[in-house]
Amino acid sequence: MKVAVFKLPQRSPDDVAALQTLIQNQQLDPAHIVAIVGKTEGNGCVNDFTRGYAVQTLKAYLKTLVAPEQVEKIVFVMSGGTEGVLSPHLTVFTREAVTPETPRQWGLTLGIHHTRAFLPAEIGTLQMVETVAAGVQAAIAEAGLLPQDVHFVQIKCPLITAHDRASNTQPNSYQSMALSRGASALGVAVALGELKLEQLAAIDLGSNMALYSSVASTSAGSELKNCEIMVLGNAPHAASAFVIGHSVMQHALDVAAIHAAIAQTGQSSAQVVNVFAKAEADPAGLILGQRSTMLDDSDISHTRMARAVVGAVIASVLQDPMLYVSGGSEHQGPPGGGPIAVIARRS
Amino acid sequence: MKVAVFKLPQRSPDDVAALQTLIQNQQLDPAHIVAIVGKTEGNGCVNDFTRGYAVQTLKAYLKTLVAPEQVEKIVFVMSGGTEGVLSPHLTVFTREAVTPETPRQWGLTLGIHHTRAFLPAEIGTLQMVETVAAGVQAAIAEAGLLPQDVHFVQIKCPLITAHDRASNTQPNSYQSMALSRGASALGVAVALGELKLEQLAAIDLGSNMALYSSVASTSAGSELKNCEIMVLGNAPHAASAFVIGHSVMQHALDVAAIHAAIAQTGQSSAQVVNVFAKAEADPAGLILGQRSTMLDDSDISHTRMARAVVGAVIASVLQDPMLYVSGGSEHQGPPGGGPIAVIARRS
Amino acid sequence: MKVAVFKLPQRSPDDVAALQTLIQNQQLDPAHIVAIVGKTEGNGCVNDFTRGYAVQTLKAYLKTLVAPEQVEKIVFVMSGGTEGVLSPHLTVFTREAVTPETPRQWGLTLGIHHTRAFLPAEIGTLQMVETVAAGVQAAIAEAGLLPQDVHFVQIKCPLITAHDRASNTQPNSYQSMALSRGASALGVAVALGELKLEQLAAIDLGSNMALYSSVASTSAGSELKNCEIMVLGNAPHAASAFVIGHSVMQHALDVAAIHAAIAQTGQSSAQVVNVFAKAEADPAGLILGQRSTMLDDSDISHTRMARAVVGAVIASVLQDPMLYVSGGSEHQGPPGGGPIAVIARRS
Amino acid sequence: MKVAVFKLPQRSPDDVAALQTLIQNQQLDPAHIVAIVGKTEGNGCVNDFTRGYAVQTLKAYLKTLVAPEQVEKIVFVMSGGTEGVLSPHLTVFTREAVTPETPRQWGLTLGIHHTRAFLPAEIGTLQMVETVAAGVQAAIAEAGLLPQDVHFVQIKCPLITAHDRASNTQPNSYQSMALSRGASALGVAVALGELKLEQLAAIDLGSNMALYSSVASTSAGSELKNCEIMVLGNAPHAASAFVIGHSVMQHALDVAAIHAAIAQTGQSSAQVVNVFAKAEADPAGLILGQRSTMLDDSDISHTRMARAVVGAVIASVLQDPMLYVSGGSEHQGPPGGGPIAVIARRS
């Protein structure tokens, strides 16, 4: 299988012009699309409808080109929030069969999986962890990857809307986004052997942040009820022109981790196609030992500010603001930090 | 004792011009001030410094006129948030001794009390409920009121800042505001016999909203560590020109309750000096059976929107936007509603 | 022609369930739909994509039922912003031919018109006023209305996005929304003879707020380039079960105008189907002579707060929060006020 | 004269604990304070009262130590907004006479000046430019600096509140902040010979952004009516342990300019005491050629986002988030960029 990656600017959530151009120029065959990961310009929180709007538009467009049931198999991960310099865009992943004669080399491969739908009461629970872990393992198997060669697991997961909420003792929508992201991330950690399911207690979810995955990136949205999983890694006999690396930012200003992730691809920063990073406000309210006001600002959600900060830092290193930085890194990297993956094109 | 009430506009949190004018014109003796209850134009949430700024300004001004230790005895309750039409203002309460010859009638009286400081870990607990209940009883006794004649208990209570927070399992600042308001309100309910302390379990605090006081109004702020309590009611042998009534709004559009509270004063709406109401978004996300989006709007805190709504409704009834509407009515009236008190001047 | 009106709740901008139910139950024939006017739950400002999302969803759904070219003739007016208690919903207007035998009575009729697309440089100019005026007259003629019987003219108009903006001397997106709404409203005033085109100078647009229409309601959005116009009024020989009335709110707390508009329908408030009102912060920063902080609050757009206030006031009168209140009433009613129209079903 | 610089964390706008400690330990003589430049944790826009609160607190504290009239001579520049990682703090500048025997070297010196109060109608006009230019020249003369050795001119300037605004044709508060900052910056450019007064037309103010100063940093606030000016530069015979350098960021991600400003001090980044930078959203809505959504986000003021971005970028270079980054760089550096000054302690 040959995996390719295309980064396309979007002028609004319903803009598919760049994708249309690639398809019309036969640079991209819509039948090969397996995943579309986007940054859309909403608030990235509960009432962010830019995610659903983008997915609805993409699906409607692609259904004019390929069979509807094939479009429904595509993993759509729209992460809301392009605060600061982050520039709205789509990253389109394609996968196609290759002939035995195709030359092979160490490079990018991917697997996908859709879990079953979750009940509102299951969101953020050990049951969700276990179901996600099984889904991640299915995606790894589909990709033909070894666990140690997995560099990035992207999951889109559901949330609880005010409407779903059965009682006041259940988490509210905003809290449920964090719980859903956290349980999904722990599912990744369990699937990859970073943690064992037996190590986890219900009480750990959303609170024991010493437990985390180094490659999970999870994003919650109201537009789906199940989890959609995409696993990325390098395999020895890939047919791809791309390679992936990763690292873990220990805090929002961890420039060294950004350079380490780039270095792991073996390519220069000029070859980088996109970066996939998670961001969050440090729960201790500190950054490099100094007080930060993000968590105490009741006018701007701290997830929005965390994206603005981490997006600006990575963009300043790469001199490119068209990056995937997603907010809320519960159980994804250490508190205040998060995993960062880099896809580069071989020079 | 003779209680008087003055409502004064503020052009900014540090504006004491209207108070200064009254004092210079000898319409108000600063030595008689026992409480100042204000609406300041901040966000009413964690990082609202307009409350502290107003208090600092008032204290500095009053200390130029009366002894510092007397100024420190004044109850300052600044509630942040003048969303919508609400107009920033101060309500100044004075109390002075009267001679035996002073004519008496059914009318307004008040009592105050300052509790001890609370540890961050105590905020929102049964311990806080109990301590507040004792403080309210002390204030009722000081006022010479019967519990059934109490119409309004205003409490300013502390919150937990990010800095105070010992661990991730503790509530964050915004959550702590709700817990502190709720425990203080239940303290009022216990003091007045609306509820018995034995009825309350730790689990009820902040969650069992069927338990509430019909006269409590509590407001959290980072500018204090203890609770400051003011009790208002009518007594048979008062010397005041004012009278108080109250009701409970069942929801944000409960116009009937507004009229009932006015009617209870026995005065026409033209005689109303100020209204003191609590507001919150209905936790069920509904208003009169229809979906409301307040709780799912991640860009504007629902406490801000709740104040805008209830403020507009009461202002439309009274045709006066200079009202005290305070957000977050946990255990203060039923879910989505809140107590409303009206002070009127006898015609 | 027989005009009917249906008010349908929406659980999200892409929810067409209530419409689907009506159509499936044969209570509403999709071929008769001429206009859909909605309140969607975005911020109602520049980056509000809930409007476009709702329109995209409605069009896609209706195209499964009626010819695409007929769907494109429908006037879609989505006004963003359901702040406070306002409940997201759609008002669907249908129009169908009736037989000569159908009994007639004084009642609701409507006309629609789509103008040509405007260049960014035309938005907010006298050229726009003139083009809109001609469009409104065309819609009035189509409706068979006399100008004096027009009670409401709804216009959806374009804005200038950051992308369209040719230079710094052009208005920015947020300013362009106000200019577009204002020019469209003056177009209504000219069409109805409230003002003469010769009375208007370029300098008046967006600044001389003494010039206004009493029946215009205009709403700007990034999802269209032209103006879409719907005119509503009463005609003597209508076949409709509905009747319309209107008034002008002089300020955000003008309860008398609400009652006047209801009274003009000749029906009780229980018969009201929907209210269509415009709201804005008083440009003088005052409400009933008291200082309002809406215009100085840099955290919440004043158009959002104005909708919350006027929505709450009207909802408290009607005890129904499912209302159409649209923000930004430049040249629509007096400064700080706005037109209000009421559609009622004959009892 | 010997100039010293102290950077002190603040836990809230009314926190003077760090200053108190320095004074009590006799590390800082309050009688030598000439300027205090702070970042406070408000929104940095119209209704940011953290600036006034900090100044009120500092003045009240210092008046317990030095003569009130001396405290009134101190230049207080509080810039609101610590978005993202920016950490609230004060930079205290002291100046004291030295003996002829004191060793001299190339190093930091400063001058200050207070202009007369401006009328609301003067804010943002050529009259303001001229008055500010004269004030800057007075401050340069006081410092004994040559114009070419000036590296930073900080000005705190007034704004027009809704209350001051005489008519709708005048700019609103938020617009007036930009106009006031811009006119003040052009005053700096004129004073330093970067531009000639004759080159400027009224129409240029706030619109011709090709005209700018490379060393001006201006910040508007409602807490003053005049301009307060502080000029910083290096002089050959200074007695200071500090040295200053500057550069101009061409855009928000201009890392090279940050390194250039540090290099100009001749010191390593470990010796940097503080950075003073201006930030703004690129008016073209682009960053490095890609679309940015800052200007179209109606929920978060773009000045807030610009501070978050530039603050994060500089903090990532210095690995220190306690920086002075001020929003709104009209006529301060090129569009989308801004001046950056660095003060370092000689190693």
Side-chain angles (χ1 to χ4, degrees):
Chain A
M1 303 296 276
K2 176 180 166 189
V3 171
V5 185
F6 303 84
K7 186 165 76 171
L8 309 173
Q10 261 201 321
R11 285 186 39 190
S12 59
D14 61 331
D15 174 25
V16 294
L19 179 57
Q20 207 163 9
T21 301
L22 277 187
I23 290 172
Q24 284 169 352
N25 295 349
Q26 294 185 304
Q27 295 168 279
L28 187 161
D29 181 341
H32 295 158
I33 297 174
V34 288
I36 302 183
V37 177
K39 279 303 308 173
T40 60
E41 56 201 282
N43 62 23
C45 301
V46 178
N47 62 328
D48 182 348
F49 297 102
T50 62
R51 299 173 296 219
Y53 190 20
V55 170
Q56 183 181 85
T57 307
L58 284 165
K59 283 187 176 176
Y61 168 62
L62 291 172
K63 283 179 185 176
T64 65
L65 304 172
V66 296
E69 59 275 16
Q70 193 167 339
V71 172
E72 292 302 331
K73 285 184 194 152
I74 296 171
V75 172
F76 292 95
V77 180
M78 296 296 138
S79 163
T82 56
E83 293 83 3
V85 294
L86 291 171
S87 194
H89 70 282
L90 303 172
T91 303
V92 180
F93 292 86
T94 59
R95 195 168 59 173
E96 58 180 306
V98 287
T99 60
E101 294 75 36
T102 309
R104 306 305 172 92
Q105 60 185 339
W106 180 256
L108 184 66
T109 186
L110 72 77
I112 63 173
H113 185 80
H114 298 244
T115 71
R116 64 169 175 82
F118 292 98
L119 297 171
E122 287 180 313
I123 289 175
T125 66
L126 284 174
Q127 180 58 56
M128 190 183 195
V129 174
E130 199 171 346
T131 305
V132 169
V136 172
Q137 283 176 328
I140 292 173
E142 196 214 33
L145 276 165
L146 296 175
Q148 64 266 33
D149 292 333
V150 171
H151 287 276
F152 189 65
V153 181
Q154 175 65 52
I155 299 181
K156 188 79 196 183
C157 54
L159 57 83
I160 306 174
T161 62
H163 183 266
D164 291 329
R165 208 178 164 205
S167 81
N168 280 332
T169 57
Q170 267 198 291
N172 66 29
S173 301
Y174 191 75
Q175 293 164 340
S176 79
M177 295 180 79
L179 290 169
S180 184
R181 288 188 300 251
S184 298
L186 290 173
V188 175
V190 167
L192 292 176
E194 296 178 286
L195 293 170
K196 288 190 192 316
L197 190 59
E198 306 82 66
Q199 274 179 268
L200 296 173
I203 191 84
D204 292 326
L205 276 77
S207 85
N208 182 354
M209 296 305 180
L211 303 173
Y212 63 81
S213 167
S214 290
V215 296
S217 167
T218 63
S219 173
S222 58
E223 68 277 14
L224 79 179
K225 296 294 175 199
N226 68 333
C227 283
E228 302 194 346
I229 299 165
M230 176 179 64
V231 170
L232 296 175
N234 296 315
H237 303 296
S240 177
F242 301 88
V243 63
I244 187 168
H246 86 279
S247 183
V248 177
M249 292 178 76
Q250 298 298 314
H251 55 80
L253 301 173
D254 189 356
V255 177
I258 303 170
H259 288 296
I262 299 169
Q264 214 186 52
T265 65
Q267 304 296 318
S268 75
S269 64
Q271 293 302 110
V272 171
V273 177
N274 208 348
V275 171
F276 300 83
K278 289 297 301 191
E280 73 171 4
D282 187 307
L286 296 174
I287 180 88
L288 292 175
Q290 306 291 7
R291 183 169 75 99
S292 158
T293 60
M294 275 190 269
L295 291 173
D296 282 347
D297 188 336
S298 304
D299 291 309
I300 302 180
S301 164
H302 55 84
T303 53
R304 302 200 72 178
M305 269 299 159
R307 276 190 296 269
V309 166
V310 173
V313 172
I314 302 176
S316 75
V317 169
L318 287 172
Q319 292 290 300
D320 179 0
M322 200 177 280
L323 305 168
Y324 181 89
V325 177
S326 161
S329 64
E330 302 81 1
H331 301 302
Q332 301 151 71
I340 174 170
V342 173
I343 296 179
R345 180 188 293 271
R346 285 183 186 286
S347 60
Chain B
M1 303 296 279
K2 177 182 166 188
V3 171
V5 186
F6 303 84
K7 185 165 77 170
L8 309 173
Q10 262 202 319
R11 286 188 39 191
S12 59
D14 61 331
D15 174 25
V16 294
L19 180 56
Q20 207 162 8
T21 301
L22 278 188
I23 291 172
Q24 284 169 351
N25 295 350
Q26 294 184 303
Q27 296 169 278
L28 188 160
D29 182 341
H32 295 159
I33 297 174
V34 288
I36 302 183
V37 177
K39 280 304 306 175
T40 60
E41 56 201 283
N43 62 23
C45 301
V46 178
N47 63 328
D48 182 348
F49 297 101
T50 61
R51 300 173 295 219
Y53 190 19
V55 171
Q56 183 181 87
T57 307
L58 283 165
K59 283 187 176 178
Y61 168 62
L62 292 172
K63 283 179 184 176
T64 65
L65 303 172
V66 294
E69 59 273 18
Q70 193 166 340
V71 172
E72 292 303 330
K73 284 184 196 152
I74 296 171
V75 172
F76 292 96
V77 180
M78 295 296 137
S79 162
T82 56
E83 292 83 2
V85 295
L86 291 171
S87 195
H89 70 282
L90 303 173
T91 304
V92 180
F93 292 87
T94 58
R95 194 169 59 174
E96 59 181 302
V98 287
T99 60
E101 295 74 36
T102 309
R104 307 305 173 93
Q105 60 185 338
W106 180 256
L108 184 66
T109 185
L110 71 79
I112 65 173
H113 186 79
H114 298 244
T115 71
R116 65 168 174 83
F118 292 97
L119 296 171
E122 287 180 314
I123 290 174
T125 66
L126 284 173
Q127 179 59 56
M128 189 183 195
V129 174
E130 199 171 346
T131 305
V132 169
V136 172
Q137 283 176 328
I140 293 172
E142 196 214 33
L145 276 165
L146 296 174
Q148 63 268 32
D149 291 333
V150 171
H151 288 275
F152 190 63
V153 181
Q154 175 65 52
I155 300 181
K156 188 80 194 182
C157 54
L159 56 84
I160 305 175
T161 62
H163 184 266
D164 291 329
R165 207 178 165 206
S167 82
N168 280 331
T169 56
Q170 266 198 292
N172 65 30
S173 301
Y174 191 75
Q175 292 164 340
S176 79
M177 294 179 80
L179 289 169
S180 184
R181 288 189 298 251
S184 299
L186 290 173
V188 175
V190 167
L192 292 176
E194 297 177 285
L195 294 169
K196 288 191 194 312
L197 190 59
E198 306 82 66
Q199 273 180 271
L200 295 174
I203 191 83
D204 291 326
L205 276 79
S207 84
N208 182 354
M209 297 305 181
L211 303 173
Y212 63 81
S213 167
S214 291
V215 296
S217 167
T218 64
S219 175
S222 58
E223 69 277 14
L224 80 178
K225 296 293 174 199
N226 68 333
C227 284
E228 301 196 344
I229 299 165
M230 176 178 63
V231 170
L232 297 174
N234 295 316
H237 304 296
S240 178
F242 300 89
V243 63
I244 187 167
H246 86 277
S247 183
V248 177
M249 291 178 75
Q250 299 298 315
H251 55 80
L253 301 173
D254 188 356
V255 177
I258 303 169
H259 288 294
I262 299 169
Q264 215 186 52
T265 66
Q267 304 297 317
S268 75
S269 64
Q271 294 301 110
V272 171
V273 176
N274 208 349
V275 172
F276 300 83
K278 289 296 302 190
E280 73 171 6
D282 186 308
L286 296 174
I287 180 87
L288 292 175
Q290 305 291 6
R291 183 169 75 98
S292 158
T293 61
M294 275 191 267
L295 290 173
D296 282 348
D297 188 337
S298 304
D299 292 310
I300 302 180
S301 164
H302 55 84
T303 52
R304 302 200 71 178
M305 269 300 159
R307 275 190 296 270
V309 166
V310 173
V313 172
I314 302 176
S316 75
V317 169
L318 287 171
Q319 293 290 300
D320 179 359
M322 200 177 280
L323 305 168
Y324 181 91
V325 177
S326 160
S329 64
E330 302 82 1
H331 300 302
Q332 301 151 70
I340 175 170
V342 173
I343 296 179
R345 180 188 294 271
R346 286 185 185 284
S347 60
Chain C
M1 302 296 276
K2 176 181 166 188
V3 171
V5 186
F6 302 85
K7 185 165 78 170
L8 309 173
Q10 261 201 319
R11 286 187 39 191
S12 59
D14 61 330
D15 175 25
V16 294
L19 179 57
Q20 207 163 11
T21 300
L22 278 188
I23 291 172
Q24 284 169 353
N25 295 349
Q26 294 184 304
Q27 296 169 277
L28 187 160
D29 182 341
H32 296 158
I33 297 174
V34 287
I36 302 182
V37 177
K39 279 304 307 174
T40 60
E41 56 201 283
N43 62 24
C45 302
V46 179
N47 63 329
D48 182 348
F49 297 101
T50 61
R51 300 172 295 219
Y53 191 19
V55 171
Q56 183 182 84
T57 307
L58 284 165
K59 283 187 175 177
Y61 168 62
L62 291 172
K63 284 179 184 176
T64 65
L65 304 172
V66 295
E69 59 274 18
Q70 192 166 341
V71 173
E72 292 303 329
K73 285 184 195 151
I74 297 171
V75 172
F76 292 95
V77 181
M78 296 297 138
S79 162
T82 56
E83 293 84 2
V85 295
L86 291 171
S87 196
H89 69 282
L90 303 172
T91 304
V92 180
F93 292 86
T94 59
R95 194 169 61 174
E96 59 182 302
V98 288
T99 60
E101 295 76 36
T102 309
R104 306 304 172 94
Q105 61 185 336
W106 180 255
L108 185 65
T109 186
L110 71 79
I112 64 174
H113 185 79
H114 299 245
T115 71
R116 64 168 174 84
F118 292 97
L119 296 171
E122 287 180 312
I123 290 174
T125 66
L126 284 173
Q127 180 58 57
M128 190 183 195
V129 173
E130 198 172 347
T131 306
V132 169
V136 171
Q137 283 175 328
I140 292 172
E142 196 213 34
L145 277 165
L146 296 174
Q148 63 268 33
D149 291 333
V150 171
H151 288 276
F152 190 64
V153 182
Q154 176 65 51
I155 300 182
K156 188 80 195 182
C157 55
L159 56 85
I160 305 175
T161 62
H163 184 266
D164 291 330
R165 209 179 164 206
S167 82
N168 280 331
T169 56
Q170 268 199 289
N172 66 29
S173 301
Y174 191 75
Q175 292 163 340
S176 79
M177 295 179 79
L179 289 169
S180 184
R181 289 189 299 250
S184 299
L186 290 172
V188 175
V190 167
L192 292 176
E194 297 177 285
L195 294 170
K196 289 194 193 311
L197 189 59
E198 306 82 66
Q199 274 179 270
L200 295 174
I203 191 82
D204 291 327
L205 276 79
S207 84
N208 182 354
M209 297 305 180
L211 303 173
Y212 63 81
S213 167
S214 290
V215 297
S217 167
T218 64
S219 174
S222 58
E223 69 278 13
L224 80 178
K225 296 294 175 199
N226 67 333
C227 283
E228 301 195 345
I229 299 166
M230 177 178 63
V231 170
L232 297 176
N234 296 317
H237 304 297
S240 177
F242 301 88
V243 63
I244 187 167
H246 86 279
S247 183
V248 177
M249 292 178 75
Q250 299 298 315
H251 55 80
L253 301 173
D254 188 357
V255 177
I258 304 169
H259 289 294
I262 298 169
Q264 214 186 53
T265 66
Q267 305 297 318
S268 76
S269 64
Q271 294 301 109
V272 172
V273 176
N274 208 349
V275 172
F276 300 83
K278 289 297 302 189
E280 73 172 4
D282 187 308
L286 296 174
I287 179 87
L288 292 174
Q290 304 291 6
R291 183 169 74 99
S292 159
T293 61
M294 274 191 267
L295 291 174
D296 282 348
D297 187 337
S298 304
D299 292 310
I300 302 180
S301 163
H302 56 83
T303 52
R304 303 201 71 179
M305 268 301 159
R307 277 190 295 270
V309 166
V310 173
V313 172
I314 302 176
S316 76
V317 169
L318 286 172
Q319 293 289 300
D320 180 359
M322 199 177 281
L323 305 168
Y324 181 90
V325 177
S326 161
S329 63
E330 301 81 2
H331 300 302
Q332 301 150 70
I340 175 169
V342 173
I343 296 179
R345 181 188 293 271
R346 285 184 186 284
S347 58
Chain D
M1 303 296 277
K2 176 180 164 187
V3 171
V5 186
F6 302 84
K7 186 165 76 171
L8 309 173
Q10 260 201 321
R11 285 185 41 190
S12 60
D14 61 331
D15 174 26
V16 294
L19 179 57
Q20 206 163 11
T21 301
L22 277 188
I23 291 172
Q24 284 169 352
N25 295 348
Q26 294 185 305
Q27 296 169 277
L28 188 160
D29 182 341
H32 296 158
I33 298 174
V34 287
I36 302 183
V37 177
K39 279 305 306 175
T40 60
E41 57 202 280
N43 62 24
C45 301
V46 178
N47 63 329
D48 182 349
F49 297 100
T50 61
R51 299 173 295 219
Y53 191 18
V55 171
Q56 183 182 84
T57 307
L58 284 165
K59 284 187 175 176
Y61 168 62
L62 291 172
K63 284 180 184 175
T64 65
L65 303 173
V66 295
E69 59 275 16
Q70 191 167 341
V71 172
E72 291 303 330
K73 286 184 195 151
I74 296 172
V75 172
F76 292 95
V77 181
M78 296 296 138
S79 162
T82 56
E83 292 83 3
V85 294
L86 292 171
S87 195
H89 70 282
L90 303 172
T91 304
V92 180
F93 293 86
T94 59
R95 195 168 60 172
E96 59 181 305
V98 288
T99 60
E101 295 75 37
T102 309
R104 305 303 172 94
Q105 61 185 339
W106 180 256
L108 185 65
T109 186
L110 72 78
I112 63 173
H113 185 80
H114 299 243
T115 71
R116 65 170 174 82
F118 293 97
L119 296 171
E122 287 181 312
I123 290 175
T125 66
L126 284 173
Q127 180 58 58
M128 191 183 195
V129 174
E130 199 171 348
T131 306
V132 169
V136 171
Q137 284 175 328
I140 292 172
E142 196 214 33
L145 276 165
L146 296 174
Q148 63 266 34
D149 291 333
V150 171
H151 287 276
F152 189 64
V153 182
Q154 175 65 51
I155 300 182
K156 188 79 196 183
C157 54
L159 57 84
I160 305 175
T161 62
H163 185 266
D164 291 329
R165 209 178 163 205
S167 81
N168 280 332
T169 57
Q170 267 198 290
N172 66 29
S173 301
Y174 191 75
Q175 292 163 341
S176 79
M177 294 179 80
L179 291 169
S180 184
R181 288 188 300 250
S184 299
L186 290 173
V188 175
V190 168
L192 292 176
E194 298 178 286
L195 294 170
K196 289 192 192 313
L197 189 58
E198 306 82 64
Q199 273 179 270
L200 296 174
I203 191 85
D204 292 325
L205 277 79
S207 84
N208 182 354
M209 296 305 179
L211 303 173
Y212 62 82
S213 167
S214 290
V215 297
S217 167
T218 64
S219 174
S222 58
E223 69 278 14
L224 79 179
K225 296 293 175 199
N226 68 334
C227 283
E228 303 195 344
I229 299 166
M230 177 179 62
V231 171
L232 296 176
N234 296 316
H237 304 295
S240 177
F242 301 88
V243 64
I244 187 167
H246 86 279
S247 183
V248 178
M249 291 178 75
Q250 298 298 316
H251 55 80
L253 301 173
D254 188 356
V255 176
I258 304 170
H259 287 295
I262 298 169
Q264 214 186 53
T265 65
Q267 305 296 319
S268 75
S269 65
Q271 294 301 110
V272 171
V273 176
N274 208 349
V275 171
F276 300 83
K278 289 297 302 191
E280 74 171 5
D282 187 307
L286 296 173
I287 179 89
L288 292 174
Q290 305 291 6
R291 183 169 75 98
S292 158
T293 60
M294 275 190 268
L295 290 173
D296 281 348
D297 187 337
S298 304
D299 292 309
I300 302 180
S301 164
H302 56 84
T303 53
R304 302 200 71 178
M305 269 300 160
R307 275 191 296 269
V309 166
V310 173
V313 172
I314 303 176
S316 76
V317 169
L318 287 172
Q319 293 289 300
D320 179 0
M322 199 178 280
L323 304 168
Y324 181 90
V325 177
S326 161
S329 63
E330 300 81 3
H331 301 302
Q332 302 151 70
I340 174 170
V342 173
I343 296 179
R345 179 188 294 270
R346 286 184 185 283
S347 59

